[in-house]
Amino acid sequence: MDSKVVIIPTYNEKENIEKIIRAVFALEGGYHILVIEDGSPDGTAGIVRGLQAEFPERLFMIERSGKLGLGTAYITGFRWAVGQGYDYIFEMDADFSHNPADLPRLYDACAKDGADLAIGSRYCNGISVINWPIGRVIMSYYASVYVRSVLGMKVYDTTAGFKCYSRKVLETIDLDKVKMKGYGFQIEMKYSAYKLGFKIREVPVIFVDRTEGTSKMSSSIFGEAFWGVMGLRLRKIRPAARKG
């Protein structure tokens, strides 16, 4: 059986973290979880530590000293997952905006249908977003239109954060060169995979905005993504140097 790990970054997710962990572990397929915990003052880490006693071989956590950004959290997780030899590495939010029941569909897109990167897409089949204000829907949708037009990448949901990578993608992308930290990080990773010739497939999902906890979205996150895309267009994407 392929080894699979779901990376979940957390900051102040005490309302959601136990429920999301149990939902993932209830799935068939032997998923593991790695929580990247950024010093939440609300006790998120303590909840995870308690659950590690129940799931010692499946639940792992890396604790960091503070809120260091989404991109650096995932890169920390990617390095750990590749080092542990996982075949498939997932990104997923803790707040149930990404439905754990969709994880097998992302896995199948890679393991059975040949994709190297599968994206849980809000926009490849119309607009599939629930509970967002219309202004945020419009901003997010047209941000993806903008990214497609600038980068020439045929991905409808360029800022999606629900993904499955085959290990070879994360071994090939030079993670030391990934610069963006917020939602621009999601664009940069997709564009890097695209430029390096990996097969990308979008899997339609329904995105439901969080009902518990506090959103981490801010205008500065969108600003970084907007200007960062210009820089990406001009950058040469090269594979990571082989080690050994």
Side-chain angles (χ1 to χ4, degrees), residues 66-155:
K67 197 174 179 184
L68 302 175
L70 183 74
T72 66
Y74 274 126
I75 287 174
T76 296
F78 293 159
R79 293 189 193 284
W80 181 90
V82 168
Q84 296 292 318
Y86 283 97
D87 298 307
Y88 294 97
I89 298 100
F90 298 78
E91 295 183 18
M92 191 173 76
D93 290 347
D95 61 8
F96 284 93
S97 56
H98 304 146
N99 186 347
D102 287 326
L103 287 169
R105 297 174 61 229
L106 296 181
Y107 167 73
D108 286 348
C110 290
K112 295 182 179 179
D113 298 337
D116 301 304
L117 167 60
I119 300 167
S121 177
R122 298 163 291 187
Y123 305 132
C124 70
N125 213 3
I127 297 177
S128 300
V129 176
I130 296 173
N131 292 343
W132 265 9
I134 188 63
R136 186 171 171 186
V137 173
I138 291 169
M139 182 165 59
S140 174
Y141 179 81
Y142 282 103
S144 283
V145 172
Y146 162 75
V147 172
R148 280 202 309 279
S149 64
V150 172
L151 297 181
M153 180 172 58
K154 293 181 176 66
V155 172

Side-chain angles (χ1 to χ4, degrees), residues 167-209:
R167 186 175 71 239
K168 64 184 176 183
V169 176
L170 298 179
E171 289 176 331
T172 305
I173 292 174
D174 191 343
L175 298 176
D176 290 332
K177 298 287 176 61
V178 176
K179 296 180 179 179
M180 289 193 268
K181 292 182 169 60
Y183 279 78
F185 163 81
Q186 305 290 11
I187 300 168
E188 186 170 357
M189 288 296 294
K190 293 181 188 73
Y191 186 62
S192 297
Y194 167 74
K195 291 297 285 185
L196 291 168
F198 288 109
K199 183 179 178 182
I200 300 173
R201 181 175 173 192
E202 291 186 85
V203 176
V205 300
I206 296 173
F207 179 97
V208 182
D209 197 24

Side-chain angles (χ1 to χ4, degrees), residues 197-225:
F198 288 109
K199 183 179 178 182
I200 300 173
R201 181 175 173 192
E202 291 186 85
V203 176
V205 300
I206 296 173
F207 179 97
V208 182
D209 197 24
R210 67 163 63 235
T211 58
E212 295 188 86
T214 304
S215 173
K216 315 303 187 296
M217 184 66 68
S218 70
S219 59
S220 64
I221 286 174
F222 273 101
E224 180 208 42

